[in-house]
Amino acid sequence: MKLGIIGSTGHINYVMDGLRELPEVRLVGVSAGSNGESIEKLTARAVQEGHSPIVYANYIELLEQAKPDIVAVACYFNDHAKIASEALRRGIHVFVEKPVATTLDDLAMLREAYERSGGTQLAAMFGIRYNPAFYTAWHAVKAGAVGQIRLLHAQKSYRLGSRAEHFKRRETYGGTIPWVGSHAIDWVQWFSGERFETVYASHSTLYNQGNGELETSAQCHFTMSGEVSASVSIDYLRPAQASTHGDDRIRIAGTEGVLEVRDQKVLLINGKENGEQELPLLPKVEIFADFVRQITDGTACLVSAEESFYVTEACLKAVIAADEKRVVKF
Amino acid sequence: MKLGIIGSTGHINYVMDGLRELPEVRLVGVSAGSNGESIEKLTARAVQEGHSPIVYANYIELLEQAKPDIVAVACYFNDHAKIASEALRRGIHVFVEKPVATTLDDLAMLREAYERSGGTQLAAMFGIRYNPAFYTAWHAVKAGAVGQIRLLHAQKSYRLGSRAEHFKRRETYGGTIPWVGSHAIDWVQWFSGERFETVYASHSTLYNQGNGELETSAQCHFTMSGEVSASVSIDYLRPAQASTHGDDRIRIAGTEGVLEVRDQKVLLINGKENGEQELPLLPKVEIFADFVRQITDGTACLVSAEESFYVTEACLKAVIAADEKRVVKF
């Protein structure tokens, strides 16, 4: 199978890591995705890993001339939907950085391209699902560890560090809720299996250290089917002195127990044992390899196209709720 | 000074514990506060601690005949405001269980009685402020440990256990947001020093194990002055197998650091040290003794009357938001 990579801005490491266990996939071409985007890091990494892709002047040339079976798209965030749609219209499978769109119009365009493509496949880079702690937690919850889920709280906390220019304008960035928060918003629907009903949210650009329109903090409150509710806390306030870049967490309270992911551990209290138990972690699975196996073997990828769209819709509605200070319905 | 205790339903242990270090305060009388309320536990505890109060037939007789300087009120929650108001109208200082009222009308009545009383003092039983971990955390935050506060998330999680009848009707109970959640709602304004601007909330009575109208889970989302936001998660889903009754937490993210209270520990990451540090805990202070010293010595009690009212208002507006599924303004 032939693979093209468009853009070098998002989590292209998911692709490069996955390629190591996919001898049947050959990286045939790379290009920038967005105007002004550098792909130096991508080409350097590709060479380092023993690939020798052709560098195309732009993504249309890559799609037309390299004729890949699969493309990975990870450029400036507002270009994801347009480029993914171009690929789908050519019957090319798409592994695309989240959020898959930064406006509801772009999301509708992408959904339509997907539906018309007749079986061409898409997954968003919700790679933290495959993090051993989250992956283990999800399997435990699906096996009934907490009974009926009633309440969820998810957290994304990042170091701000130094941010490139496209983070500083809403137009190219899309907002902190879709960029950082989309993982947490994904988790609450993925763990609960419920549908979003309403969202209320708030966000603030204060104290963003000169990062223009980038929101430094945000919170979302989702009501879901079955009277389940979920809150999401998102910030770039993690101090530089912290031991890791991110502090990803989820707490899931159900009728039979409470499960948490925190510090890469899975902690569970339920009726099976007294006190808190730490679950042994499942081995790591590569997200890109999982997506490719869906194409080659027909095994379902953990991230479906429908979820990729639905979580993006939830993120964009949360941004509207925060901007307009009102409850937005689904 | 003469003390009366009205009711035996809430945290009367705060009073009994405080009395041990208040030789100048004499427990002169006790009575029930609500129709059908038993005060057997209270009288037994009083005798056990060496007190010999007169038992009055009702709280009016206690107020009129024992003529206490201070009363502690902790009966069925819908009677707090009425009884506290009766005491204030007689110039009697009031230490009252939270929520201080279960309706906005009752809260307005209590505020008016307080304002007209001309210096009679009141504090709500926000006793968790005096828990060493929360007390230490608050002092650290006030000393600048996290810089400007941007985001807060507070959690109350309790075992459901077996609940008395007055928990099962909204009329007598007031709701899980005011009863359990009021602590967490208090913390977010106490730590941040910000004013509430809006609240959105949700709650559910599903899976409440036959407890009538008692909500088993709730979440609140407050927007506050200075574009600060605060979420609060409340549940009765803590498994019986957990090591403690409650799992109280707060996480406070600011421009200079992140501080958490969890498992009775205070954990801080900021620019002062690499990685996470655990702060040594300050010694325990007794809330009732702090309130009495405000009367006798003029030192400010950590819980002011104004905050007691304001947090109750926030709780009751959150209940309205949850019941009516809308954003409520302050």
Side-chain angles (χ1 to χ4, degrees):
Chain A
M1 298 187 83
K2 292 193 292 180
L3 169 69
I5 297 180
I6 298 171
S8 179
T9 299
H11 295 91
I12 287 301
N13 58 310
Y14 291 154
V15 181
M16 303 310 291
D17 291 348
L19 277 177
R20 294 180 186 171
E21 49 186 74
L22 294 165
E24 71 275 28
V25 178
R26 191 162 53 93
L27 177 58
V28 295
V30 298
S31 78
S34 303
N35 284 335
E37 189 189 15
S38 162
I39 58 162
E40 268 177 46
K41 271 189 195 167
L42 167 60
T43 49
R45 173 87 194 262
V47 168
Q48 182 189 334
E49 301 260 342
H51 305 288
S52 42
I54 296 172
V55 178
Y56 290 90
N58 59 61
Y59 72 89
I60 293 289
E61 286 190 10
L62 184 150
L63 296 177
E64 300 275 337
Q65 295 173 20
K67 298 193 187 302
D69 301 293
I70 307 173
V71 286
V73 178
C75 49
Y76 298 167
F77 315 148
N78 60 320
D79 287 326
H80 293 159
K82 177 182 68 184
I83 297 172
S85 297
E86 289 289 354
L88 290 169
R89 288 180 197 128
R90 290 166 173 82
I92 298 168
H93 306 295
V94 176
F95 182 60
V96 55
E97 180 60 283
K98 48 81 215 166
V100 304
T102 54
T103 68
L104 288 173
D105 282 348
D106 278 2
L107 179 61
M109 172 186 71
L110 179 61
R111 269 187 197 266
E112 190 185 338
Y114 172 75
E115 281 158 16
R116 288 192 179 188
S117 74
T120 308
Q121 294 176 31
L122 177 145
M125 295 186 191
F126 287 127
I128 304 176
R129 287 193 183 192
Y130 295 81
N131 167 292
F134 283 86
Y135 192 70
T136 302
W138 183 76
H139 281 278
V141 166
K142 291 296 154 183
V146 302
Q148 291 290 321
I149 292 174
R150 306 303 308 142
L151 202 64
L152 305 97
H153 176 69
Q155 173 186 299
K156 290 290 298 179
S157 178
Y158 280 168
R159 292 178 183 150
L160 180 56
S162 172
R163 295 278 155 182
E165 286 304 311
H166 70 278
F167 280 84
K168 300 177 186 175
R169 288 189 301 124
R170 171 69 70 85
E171 188 193 342
T172 47
Y173 177 51
T176 294
I177 293 173
W179 174 242
V180 180
S182 51
H183 292 290
I185 293 169
D186 176 48
W187 301 333
V188 300
Q189 68 87 28
W190 180 51
F191 275 92
S192 71
E194 303 290 348
R195 301 291 289 176
F196 295 115
E197 292 186 345
T198 68
V199 60
Y200 184 62
S202 52
H203 56 193
S204 173
T205 62
L206 290 183
Y207 301 97
N208 73 1
Q209 301 182 34
N211 280 292
E213 296 168 4
L214 176 141
E215 298 92 359
T216 324
S217 57
Q219 287 186 323
C220 308
H221 180 145
F222 293 95
T223 64
M224 306 180 82
S225 50
E227 296 186 20
V228 171
S229 75
S231 57
V232 170
S233 177
I234 307 158
D235 69 74
Y236 279 113
L237 297 165
R238 188 159 169 80
Q241 295 81 8
S243 56
T244 55
H245 173 63
D247 184 4
D248 291 346
R249 302 186 194 181
I250 193 163
R251 175 178 180 268
I252 303 159
T255 54
E256 306 293 331
V258 176
L259 179 144
E260 283 180 80
V261 175
R262 185 188 348 126
D263 296 331
Q264 305 293 326
K265 291 176 186 164
V266 184
L267 305 169
L268 174 65
I269 306 174
N270 66 11
K272 307 277 165 58
E273 291 191 30
N274 274 324
E276 190 174 71
Q277 49 172 316
E278 183 179 341
L279 302 189
L281 300 185
L282 296 172
K284 180 152 177 58
V285 173
E286 289 295 335
I287 179 173
F288 182 64
D290 193 33
F291 178 64
V292 170
R293 281 191 293 266
Q294 174 169 274
I295 297 164
T296 55
D297 305 356
T299 54
C301 178
L302 201 58
V303 180
S304 72
E306 181 46 43
E307 285 175 305
S308 304
F309 301 140
Y310 187 54
V311 172
T312 302
E313 179 189 342
C315 293
L316 299 178
K317 287 187 169 173
V319 171
I320 293 168
D323 283 347
E324 301 182 4
K325 302 179 193 298
R326 65 182 178 90
V327 178
V328 175
K329 292 190 178 170
F330 284 76
Chain B
M1 298 186 84
K2 293 193 293 180
L3 168 70
I5 298 181
I6 298 171
S8 180
T9 298
H11 294 92
I12 288 300
N13 58 309
Y14 291 154
V15 180
M16 304 309 292
D17 292 347
L19 278 177
R20 293 180 187 171
E21 51 185 73
L22 295 165
E24 70 276 27
V25 178
R26 192 160 53 91
L27 178 58
V28 295
V30 297
S31 78
S34 303
N35 284 334
E37 189 190 14
S38 163
I39 57 163
E40 267 177 47
K41 271 190 194 165
L42 167 61
T43 50
R45 173 88 194 262
V47 168
Q48 183 191 333
E49 301 258 345
H51 305 288
S52 44
I54 296 172
V55 178
Y56 290 89
N58 58 61
Y59 71 90
I60 294 290
E61 286 190 10
L62 184 151
L63 296 177
E64 301 274 337
Q65 296 173 21
K67 297 191 186 303
D69 302 292
I70 307 172
V71 287
V73 178
C75 49
Y76 298 167
F77 316 148
N78 59 322
D79 287 326
H80 293 159
K82 178 181 67 183
I83 297 172
S85 298
E86 289 289 355
L88 290 170
R89 287 178 198 130
R90 290 167 173 82
I92 299 168
H93 305 295
V94 175
F95 182 60
V96 56
E97 180 61 281
K98 48 81 214 166
V100 304
T102 54
T103 68
L104 288 173
D105 283 347
D106 278 3
L107 179 61
M109 173 185 71
L110 179 60
R111 270 187 197 267
E112 189 185 338
Y114 173 75
E115 281 157 14
R116 289 192 178 185
S117 74
T120 309
Q121 293 176 31
L122 177 144
M125 296 186 190
F126 286 127
I128 304 176
R129 285 192 184 194
Y130 295 81
N131 167 291
F134 283 87
Y135 192 69
T136 302
W138 183 77
H139 281 278
V141 166
K142 291 296 153 183
V146 303
Q148 292 290 322
I149 291 174
R150 305 304 308 143
L151 202 64
L152 304 97
H153 177 69
Q155 174 185 299
K156 291 289 299 179
S157 177
Y158 280 168
R159 291 178 184 149
L160 180 57
S162 172
R163 297 276 154 182
E165 285 304 310
H166 69 279
F167 279 85
K168 300 176 186 174
R169 287 188 301 125
R170 170 70 69 86
E171 188 193 342
T172 47
Y173 176 51
T176 294
I177 292 173
W179 174 242
V180 181
S182 51
H183 291 292
I185 293 169
D186 176 48
W187 302 333
V188 301
Q189 68 86 30
W190 180 51
F191 275 92
S192 71
E194 303 290 348
R195 302 290 291 176
F196 294 115
E197 292 185 344
T198 68
V199 59
Y200 185 62
S202 51
H203 54 193
S204 173
T205 63
L206 290 184
Y207 301 96
N208 72 2
Q209 300 183 33
N211 280 291
E213 296 168 4
L214 177 140
E215 298 92 359
T216 324
S217 57
Q219 288 186 322
C220 307
H221 181 145
F222 293 95
T223 64
M224 306 181 82
S225 50
E227 296 185 20
V228 170
S229 75
S231 57
V232 170
S233 177
I234 307 158
D235 68 74
Y236 279 113
L237 297 165
R238 189 159 169 80
Q241 295 80 7
S243 56
T244 57
H245 173 63
D247 184 3
D248 291 345
R249 303 187 194 181
I250 192 164
R251 175 178 180 269
I252 302 159
T255 54
E256 306 293 330
V258 176
L259 179 144
E260 283 180 81
V261 175
R262 184 185 353 125
D263 296 332
Q264 306 292 326
K265 292 177 186 163
V266 183
L267 306 169
L268 174 65
I269 307 175
N270 66 11
K272 307 277 165 58
E273 291 190 31
N274 274 325
E276 190 173 71
Q277 49 173 315
E278 183 179 341
L279 302 189
L281 299 185
L282 295 172
K284 180 154 177 58
V285 173
E286 287 295 336
I287 179 172
F288 182 63
D290 192 33
F291 178 64
V292 170
R293 282 191 294 266
Q294 174 169 275
I295 297 164
T296 54
D297 306 355
T299 54
C301 178
L302 200 59
V303 181
S304 71
E306 181 46 44
E307 286 175 304
S308 304
F309 302 140
Y310 187 53
V311 172
T312 303
E313 178 189 343
C315 292
L316 299 178
K317 287 187 169 173
V319 172
I320 293 168
D323 283 347
E324 301 182 4
K325 300 179 194 299
R326 65 181 176 90
V327 179
V328 175
K329 291 189 178 170
F330 284 76

